[in-house]
Amino acid sequence: MSKVLVFGHQNPDTDAITSAISFSYLQNQLGVEAEAVALGTVNEETAYALNYFNVEAPRVIESAKDETNQVMLVDHNEAQQSVSDIKELEVLAVVDHHRIANFETANPLFYRAEPVGCTNTIILKMYKEHGIEVPKKIAGLMLSAIVSDSLLFKSPTCTEQDVKAAKELAEISDVDLEVYGLDMLKAGTNLSDKTALQLIDGDAKTFPMGDKNLRIGQVNTVDVQDVLSRQEELEAEMQKQMDANGFDMFVLVITNILDSDSVALVVGEPKEKVEAAFDVTLENNQALLKGVVSRKKQVVPQLTKAFS
């Protein structure tokens, strides 16, 4: 067996990066030569976690077939969110907490998917099942992912399993969960020096819905108006990305991590589908989404139903 590459989705967030690290470490302990890699550079929030626990970011790859023919996927399964040459590779394993779509393999594989708030919550279970001790630094990164994906337990995707796992990992990594968690989340909301492309596409995923192709981005902030003050610039960049990549619509979800609400900024048609999905009226291409913080649970399913 050649070296196995382990990676999360494109435009990686904290869970995508750290689950690659934690899962590849587990695989190496089980006798598989595995390396964590990334499908994009880390964001500020993830960089904060990596720096705090003194762990190097995984190297970034654009394709994998020149290095290996075997890979493992974490925090995603959909082909359009994965490495560019995914269809030319053998997927040995998937560990994920998202919907399953646009995914098939020629060979049997290990597949672990659970409806929890974070991939690392599942990976912690796997460490325990195999009797593998979680190193302090990796425990800190796994904790960071749970905090990120659950918005410090405010997201509706968060389960009791996630909370229990986070508390256990905080003890192993020797951090104050609430203090560290809030500091890490705030580190990811420094948007002043970001370009319009970085804002809309830094945490964006593509979703086929009916006969349409939607690009859905999300940005966390402590002041939604700071982002909306650049609306004209953002809309121009959203349209540019649509034209270049064949998206029918671009939805940017701007989430206030303190108030746990979001504003949707929408470019493309048919906008009435978005209005129907959230029972809102778009004014100036935007609408308040009260209580919405999770793309996975509160945005994608509603839009999928509306566009089906």
Side-chain angles (χ1 to χ4, degrees):
M1 179 186 294
S2 60
K3 179 174 64 175
V4 176
L5 296 183
V6 183
F7 47 80
H9 51 76
Q10 297 174 22
N11 293 330
D13 56 12
T14 301
D15 194 28
I17 294 292
T18 62
S19 58
I21 294 171
S22 61
F23 193 60
S24 63
Y25 178 86
L26 175 62
Q27 290 302 313
N28 277 283
Q29 296 306 299
L30 297 175
V32 177
E33 184 184 357
E35 179 191 358
V37 294
L39 303 187
T41 56
V42 301
N43 60 34
E44 286 85 348
E45 177 191 275
T46 310
Y48 179 91
L50 291 168
N51 291 335
Y52 190 96
F53 293 104
N54 195 27
V55 177
E56 285 190 17
R59 64 186 178 91
V60 177
I61 65 168
E62 294 185 358
S63 62
K65 65 181 180 181
D66 291 338
E67 295 186 54
T68 183
N69 62 348
Q70 296 180 316
V71 298
M72 296 181 178
L73 314 184
V74 291
D75 199 34
H76 77 295
N77 66 83
E78 298 189 48
Q80 75 277 3
Q81 298 174 8
S82 198
V83 72
S84 60
D85 52 356
I86 188 64
K87 295 187 182 300
E88 301 177 58
L89 306 167
E90 180 183 6
V91 179
L92 298 179
V94 176
V95 183
D96 193 16
H97 67 130
H98 295 93
R99 72 175 191 174
I100 300 172
N102 193 24
F103 177 82
E104 62 182 8
T105 62
N107 299 316
L109 75 161
F110 176 88
Y111 201 111
R112 180 86 171 252
E114 297 186 24
V116 293
C118 181
T119 307
N120 272 288
T121 298
I122 306 170
I123 295 174
L124 177 60
K125 293 182 185 181
M126 297 177 69
Y127 272 80
K128 292 180 177 180
E129 291 163 4
H130 289 286
I132 304 297
E133 183 177 342
V134 184
K136 182 177 180 179
K137 290 182 178 181
I138 290 182
L141 297 180
M142 296 172 75
L143 165 66
S144 301
I146 297 175
V147 167
S148 175
D149 272 10
S150 71
L151 284 180
L152 202 53
F153 315 132
K154 291 180 180 180
S155 171
T157 61
C158 185
T159 69
E160 285 301 317
Q161 296 177 60
D162 299 296
V163 176
K164 181 180 178 182
K167 290 179 178 178
E168 182 176 338
L169 292 164
E171 187 172 337
I172 297 172
S173 56
D174 193 27
V175 298
D176 184 305
L177 176 53
E178 295 292 333
V179 173
Y180 169 76
L182 189 57
D183 286 346
M184 187 198 74
L185 289 176
K186 286 182 176 178
T189 64
N190 180 19
L191 309 176
S192 58
D193 60 347
K194 288 186 178 295
T195 65
L197 178 59
Q198 289 172 325
L199 284 174
I200 68 168
D201 215 44
D203 182 14
K205 295 180 180 180
T206 305
F207 298 90
M209 294 183 183
D211 61 351
K212 301 296 183 182
N213 199 25
L214 273 67
R215 185 72 165 171
I216 305 176
Q218 185 169 24
V219 58
N220 291 338
T221 182
V222 293
D223 188 345
V224 170
Q225 292 307 314
D226 274 355
V227 180
L228 288 176
S229 67
R230 301 173 62 181
Q231 181 173 347
E232 184 176 349
E233 179 188 5
L234 294 174
E235 289 183 350
E237 187 60 47
M238 291 161 77
Q239 186 63 58
K240 180 179 178 181
Q241 293 304 310
M242 290 167 58
D243 295 341
N245 297 286
F247 306 137
D248 297 291
M249 178 174 285
F250 204 124
V251 180
L252 179 63
V253 181
I254 307 165
T255 300
N256 187 315
I257 65 170
L258 301 180
D259 295 342
S260 298
D261 293 325
S262 295
V263 169
L265 182 62
V266 183
V267 174
E269 296 295 341
K271 290 189 177 68
E272 59 268 21
K273 297 285 189 181
V274 178
E275 294 179 323
F278 302 110
D279 192 23
V280 296
T281 300
L282 289 165
E283 297 182 6
N284 190 27
N285 294 334
Q286 59 178 273
L288 175 65
L289 307 181
K290 290 290 293 182
V292 171
V293 297
S294 170
R295 173 174 52 195
K296 179 179 70 174
K297 193 167 185 177
Q298 296 175 298
V299 177
V300 172
Q302 289 77 1
L303 286 173
T304 300
K305 181 178 180 181
F307 277 85
S308 64

